Amino acid sequence: MNQPKRRSSCGSDEHTIHRRLFLQGTMAASTASVASFNGLFSVPLLAEETKRHGKKCILLWLCGAPSQFETWDPKPGTATGGPFSAIPTNLPGVHISSLMPKCATIMDKLAVIRSMSTKPSEHFQGIDALTRGDMPRPPFTRPILGSVIAEQLGQLDSPVPQFVLLDPCPEGNEFKAFKAGNWAGWLGAQYGPVRAGGDYGIPNIKQLDSISQADHSDRESLRKFFSKKYENDRRSAAAASHNAAFERVKGLMSCAPLFDMESLPQSDRERYGGGAFAQHALQARHLIENGSTFVMVANGMPWDNHVFQHEMHQMLVPELDNVLYQLISDLEQRGMLDDTLVIAMGEFGRTPWLNDARGRDHYPKAWSLAMAGGGIKGGVVHGATDAEGFEVTDGKVDNRNLFATIFTALGIDPHEDYDLPGLPTFFRVEEDAHPIKEVLV
């Protein structure tokens, strides 16, 4: 279902500048000249490392779980299809919900998976499985996707946070409880997210006016000396995480302007739309462009529509449609799409039937998601469901297959084991689950 490639840039010098900025953020540690690369790619390990370098990821986390019927797998004219029609896309024979007219024009950039089939049917467990890649195995805590990618592809010494969670909503039912938990798991706190949101800024990171720069530096040097000595003398992992947290705060103080939405062009803010989710998607693009490795955009749990499903989705889906269109178009025009993986998904799907409150309930048995860029082949629809969307009829995949696909697309070995002293053997993706090859470049 591939379409002829379109020109990825209008040729403006502005796009060259964005691409240069993006590469500066990802290649900051490199000092090699272009000429010095000649012949180096004959070394397999170096070639593989170079392939990984510069990969980024933006996760549009649609918490609460959107309906596949009103997004990527419409069933118009059936008992389960709901009131919205399906529209053709720029992929011949492929239709999506009429609530997504903008995405219909960029389907050649998207890979849609219509055959997700997972086990958890409750939010907390679903969020856990779809953000960590596997079911819990107490008392061990598997790191969340963003922590793994930050650890594998990020630069820990970068002042720019490598894993950012943009979620202005302090609530979110089960997602609120999940957010209060341990995100980085056994990787350690240094790979946990920096959370921003609300007024689109991180509070309390400005240096006090009452402390001079010299005093601030002297105090920090003294703290660093004693805490590092304690860490070394005691071989303390807790002290190491504590010191890493201090370094992250120092980095945040230096890059606070990146979190200032007011610094972004008003025209960009208007294109994305006025909602918090849309504004944060724009901010995610800005952070990725300036050196972050993984940005997760959420907004509480708005997609959990047990009541008035169609009315709620009539508001939510058009915003998602525009955000995806703007984000993918921007990344492509800036020369960043090939290295930036965009994922739009929730923790499961919604039931084919409506409940008494005209809502759709949780349905992990057959649901859909979309990806683009960053090692993912555009113009692909993987898998299928039956005529009314009850069962997967072709290409069934689960959370393990999905994570194997994400890691492979980003150049990360999905089946590598974690070297965890004192812990059982864990693998990045368990049971040798295979990636979905059809959607990989």
Side-chain angles (χ1 to χ4, degrees), residues 31-53:
T31 57
S33 68
V34 174
S36 70
F37 287 127
N38 289 339
L40 293 181
F41 296 106
S42 61
V43 182
L45 284 178
L46 181 58
E48 184 62 28
E49 183 62 26
T50 303
K51 178 184 174 185
R52 289 158 48 102
H53 204 67

Side-chain angles (χ1 to χ4, degrees), residues 156-173:
L156 191 57
D157 58 349
S158 169
V160 182
Q162 296 300 286
F163 178 9
V164 180
L165 167 64
L166 298 174
D167 181 1
C169 183
E171 300 301 324
N173 301 330

Side-chain angles (χ1 to χ4, degrees), residues 91-400:
L91 290 181
V94 174
H95 292 64
I96 59 176
S97 170
S98 59
L99 297 174
M100 308 189 79
K102 291 185 176 178
C103 281
T105 67
I106 58 166
M107 277 295 285
D108 57 324
K109 309 289 188 297
L110 299 172
V112 170
I113 300 173
R114 285 176 169 168
S115 53
M116 286 294 294
S117 186
T118 48
K119 291 181 180 177
S121 60
E122 297 300 328
H123 290 293
F124 193 97
Q125 292 76 11
I127 295 168
D128 208 56
L130 268 298
T131 56
R132 300 186 192 278
D134 219 299
M135 301 294 287
R137 185 177 164 187
F140 312 106
T141 303
R142 179 177 290 275
I144 200 167
L145 178 64
S147 297
V148 177
I149 292 176
E151 186 257 346
Q152 284 290 305
L153 305 181
Q155 300 176 47
L156 191 57
D157 58 349
S158 169
V160 182
Q162 296 300 286
F163 178 9
V164 180
L165 167 64
L166 298 174
D167 181 1
C169 183
E171 300 301 324
N173 301 330
E174 290 91 338
F175 190 37
K176 178 182 180 181
F178 183 82
K179 284 184 284 192
N182 180 355
W183 283 46
W186 55 61
L187 290 181
Q190 63 268 42
Y191 297 108
V194 168
R195 184 176 177 183
D199 295 330
Y200 309 121
I202 300 177
N204 305 320
I205 57 174
K206 290 184 178 179
Q207 185 175 310
L208 295 175
D209 294 335
S210 57
I211 301 177
S212 69
Q213 182 59 45
D215 284 347
H216 185 269
S217 297
D218 288 345
R219 293 183 188 191
E220 169 56 16
S221 296
L222 188 63
R223 182 208 65 78
K224 194 171 184 178
F225 171 78
F226 282 115
S227 59
K228 193 67 179 176
K229 187 174 187 305
Y230 182 91
E231 176 188 333
N232 292 338
D233 290 349
R234 306 293 181 91
R235 299 180 184 275
S236 170
S241 291
H242 183 76
N243 286 330
F246 260 95
E247 292 302 317
R248 292 176 64 190
V249 171
K250 282 175 59 183
L252 278 174
M253 293 176 72
S254 69
C255 67
L258 287 179
F259 292 88
D260 179 12
M261 286 296 298
E262 297 297 331
S263 68
L264 295 177
Q266 186 63 29
S267 57
D268 283 359
R269 299 185 65 181
E270 291 174 358
R271 274 194 302 113
Y272 275 72
F277 181 75
Q279 293 290 291
H280 282 138
L282 170 61
Q283 191 173 30
R285 186 207 76 190
H286 185 55
L287 287 165
I288 287 290
E289 190 173 33
N290 285 279
S292 290
T293 298
F294 185 95
V295 182
M296 178 175 178
V297 182
N299 189 20
M301 192 185 280
W303 292 90
D304 191 24
N305 299 160
H306 292 283
V307 178
F308 299 134
Q309 154 78 25
H310 299 136
E311 289 83 350
M312 295 298 292
H313 269 54
Q314 199 167 16
M315 293 187 291
L316 291 167
V317 179
E319 181 185 48
L320 172 64
D321 178 52
N322 182 57
V323 164
L324 267 174
Y325 175 82
Q326 300 296 346
L327 181 60
I328 291 170
S329 299
D330 276 3
L331 291 172
E332 183 179 40
Q333 289 174 2
R334 289 163 183 256
M336 297 162 57
L337 186 59
D338 287 346
D339 289 327
T340 306
L341 172 59
V342 178
I343 309 167
M345 69 174 184
E347 60 269 40
F348 36 65
R350 312 300 302 188
T351 52
W353 58 89
L354 294 182
N355 61 28
D356 292 341
R358 291 199 295 112
R360 294 191 192 268
D361 298 320
H362 308 166
Y363 199 70
K365 201 172 180 181
W367 57 283
S368 304
L369 60 83
M371 297 189 284
I376 294 296
K377 188 187 299 180
V380 176
V381 176
H382 173 82
T385 54
D386 63 38
E388 295 189 333
F390 283 89
E391 304 278 351
V392 173
T393 56
D394 181 51
K396 181 182 287 189
V397 290
D398 63 12
N399 43 290
R400 287 177 174 171

